[in-house]
Amino acid sequence: MEAIRELIKESRKIVLKVGSNVLSDDKGVVNSENLKNLVDQTMEFIKMGKQVVIVSSGAGICGVGAINKWTRRDDISYKQALCAIGQVELMLGYKEAFMAHGVHVAQILLTREDFQDRYRTLNMRNALFTLVDEGVVPIVNENDSVCVEEIKIGDNDTLSALTANLWNADLLIVLSDIDGVYDKDPKKNGDANFIEEVWDIDGLLQEIDVFGKSDFGTGGILTKIEAARRVNEYGASMILLNGKKQNILKDAISGEAKGTVFFPR
Ligand code: ADP
């Protein structure tokens, strides 16, 4: 789509949100080839002179991959423990993949409280700006091991929008397992119609059905649309793309990718 190509061309600061589904294979295990492919494509942005911050899910499934004896434990403390273990695995994956290009990565773990405190917000902003200015790729995730339900942001769609606004990004790219927004869930409705461009989110929400959640994701399509609303309010655009497709970012750069673009009014 030409609109996607144009938007990427004119955006300098890009936040890339990577869903667990994008990194995992059919069994729900993080696939190192998927991760490497994603990092190789991110390097295309960097080679074009763009700055990139990644917001990545996947700590939970990486934890299960590392220690599978806890898979049936439902207690919240075990879930947090799994995320703590998996976060290391996830970052190791990113570090190795970026190091192949001579690029350093940095880990930033955030909670909702961090965004509510002016002092912390300022510190986070400074850290982000410094890292990116020095050519390092920050990789942001929610700090799951200190977050209980009451203080959780809860999904990385929202976290990626908050991060985009904090860093004054021009563009948020959300990679999910779907080509974009349809008027109803295309996994359940063969006749769902694809929506290429959105200028009015309230209008969109009146026209479409947003039910259904995929196996490993936590947000659903509604949190993606609400993330778009957040960045649009700050004058940035959002593109929703299918990260399950090989070379989706390269295709986006060349204008061949299908996706939904949310423009600020
Ligand atoms: P992620 O794990 O990447 O955050 P989610 O699984 O949380 O993604 O959300 C994307 C899913 O939302 C899609 O795979 C799709 O099945 C579902 N969905 C429900 N309604 C819609 C809709 N109107 N348009 C597109 N996807 C929809």
Side-chain angles (χ1 to χ4, degrees), residues 17 19 21 157 175-178 180-187 208-214 217-221 224:
K17 189 263 172 174
N21 283 312
D157 298 320
L175 295 181
S176 184
D177 66 343
I178 198 96
V181 178
Y182 291 77
D183 60 352
K184 49 196 163 197
D185 189 347
K187 286 184 185 158
I208 67 168
D209 285 338
V210 291
F211 296 108
K213 220 180 209 186
S214 63
T218 46
I221 201 72
K224 290 164 187 49

Side-chain angles (χ1 to χ4, degrees), residues 99-119:
M99 256 308 151
H101 300 275
V103 170
H104 285 282
V105 294
Q107 169 181 272
I108 301 190
L109 296 177
L110 300 174
T111 65
R112 191 169 73 194
E113 284 180 325
D114 295 324
F115 285 95
Q116 289 165 346
D117 180 307
R118 251 174 57 102
Y119 184 65

Side-chain angles (χ1 to χ4, degrees), residues 91-225:
M91 286 306 295
L92 193 61
Y94 276 110
K95 183 193 144 138
E96 280 174 358
F98 271 108
M99 256 308 151
H101 300 275
V103 170
H104 285 282
V105 294
Q107 169 181 272
I108 301 190
L109 296 177
L110 300 174
T111 65
R112 191 169 73 194
E113 284 180 325
D114 295 324
F115 285 95
Q116 289 165 346
D117 180 307
R118 251 174 57 102
Y119 184 65
R120 290 192 198 183
T121 311
L122 198 65
N123 281 335
M124 274 148 54
R125 251 179 86 93
N126 288 343
L128 273 180
F129 274 91
T130 304
L131 286 165
V132 172
D133 284 347
E134 292 295 337
V136 176
V137 176
I139 299 177
V140 179
N141 198 0
E142 183 151 27
N143 195 352
D144 287 312
S145 46
V146 302
C147 282
V148 287
E149 221 46 63
E150 301 80 67
I151 59 159
K152 245 181 178 296
I153 296 168
D155 68 272
N156 274 358
D157 298 320
T158 308
L159 178 63
S160 66
L162 292 171
T163 303
N165 291 346
L166 180 76
W167 181 52
N168 297 119
D170 306 308
L171 176 64
L172 169 61
I173 299 179
V174 174
L175 295 181
S176 184
D177 66 343
I178 198 96
D179 287 339
V181 178
Y182 291 77
D183 60 352
K184 49 196 163 197
D185 189 347
K187 286 184 185 158
K188 295 187 186 124
N189 305 277
D191 61 341
N193 295 307
F194 188 68
I195 296 164
E196 283 190 5
E197 292 188 5
V198 178
W199 294 87
D200 169 15
I201 286 176
D202 287 327
L204 173 82
L205 288 175
Q206 281 173 3
E207 283 168 23
I208 67 168
D209 285 338
V210 291
F211 296 108
K213 220 180 209 186
S214 63
D215 291 349
F216 314 110
T218 46
I221 201 72
L222 187 58
T223 59
K224 290 164 187 49
I225 296 171

